[in-house]
Amino acid sequence: AQKVTQAQTEISVVEKEDVTLDCVYETRDTTYYLFWYKQPPSGELVFLIRRNSFDEQNEISGRYSWNFQKSTSSFNFTITASQVVDSAVYFCALSEFLSSGSARQLTFGSGTQLTVLP
Amino acid sequence: NAGVTQTPKFRILKIGQSMTLQCTQDMNHNYMYWYRQDPGMGLKLIYYSVGAGITDKGEVPNGYNVSRSTTEDFPLRLELAAPSQTSVYFCASSYSGTVSAEAFFGQGTRLTVV
């Protein structure tokens, strides 16, 4: 069965520090997608990025960057020069087809609470 | 841009009461999902729908029911509320059922059963 592990429950950093959030996943499928979502204190889930299982290129978007390594089943997320507004819970999720084949399921990790202190 | 709208935002129920969590989306998405988020945990899939009139169980369906009479609406029904159903409930929709499809989430309903 698919599984997503975010071993870091809580991380605190001081503003302007870099921080990396770890995500390790398990799947038997060869075709899957990985997602990162942000959940700010207001509670909604905000999509950040998706990556398919065949694309191991790292990606940078502003202060955010993602490192996908299939060999270690990891999809880590780095925030450079963190800001107070980055404080949120960050979820990694694995997207696979349901056993019915009719739709897909997102399997979420338990999340990492990031607190950026001023 | 309403996206996915959930009502109510907060609710307190007594054990044994029933309620319906409403979810509506204005993006004409066929695929809709209900998740629950327990404290310190990731989201778990309760039910999903691939189109009007078609629903199926997810990972944790016990104690819940759903219906999908229109493309826009996907209500979640709790018939006999139990303390174990205290959670935050998220409705989501996506334009397709492929593994790449981005899911759009509502703001959540925080339910407490006492």
Side-chain angles (χ1 to χ4, degrees), chain A residues 31-33 35 37 39 42-45 47 50 89 91 95-98 100 102-111, chain B residues 31 33 35 37 40-45 48 50 56 59 90 94-107:
Chain A
T31 302
Y32 53 88
Y33 270 71
F35 289 74
Y37 280 87
Q39 186 178 41
S42 51
E44 75 274 21
L45 282 157
F47 165 78
R50 76 183 132 215
V89 180
F91 289 99
S95 178
E96 294 178 304
F97 280 111
L98 286 155
S100 64
S102 60
R104 66 81 183 271
Q105 174 173 348
L106 282 171
T107 298
F108 285 80
S110 54
Chain B
Y31 294 80
Y33 308 82
Y35 290 88
Q37 181 185 20
M41 306 288 287
L43 281 68
K44 292 190 185 298
L45 183 65
Y48 67 97
V50 303
D56 206 347
E59 187 181 354
F90 286 96
S94 62
Y95 57 86
S96 83
T98 62
V99 291
S100 63
E102 178 188 342
F104 295 82
F105 286 85
Q107 295 223 327

Side-chain angles (χ1 to χ4, degrees), chain B residues 10-29:
Chain B
F10 304 94
R11 183 71 185 268
I12 298 175
L13 274 185
K14 292 186 178 177
I15 295 172
Q17 284 186 322
S18 301
M19 79 163 293
T20 298
L21 282 66
Q22 300 292 345
C23 175
T24 187
Q25 51 92 8
D26 62 359
M27 296 174 282
N28 203 34
H29 287 171

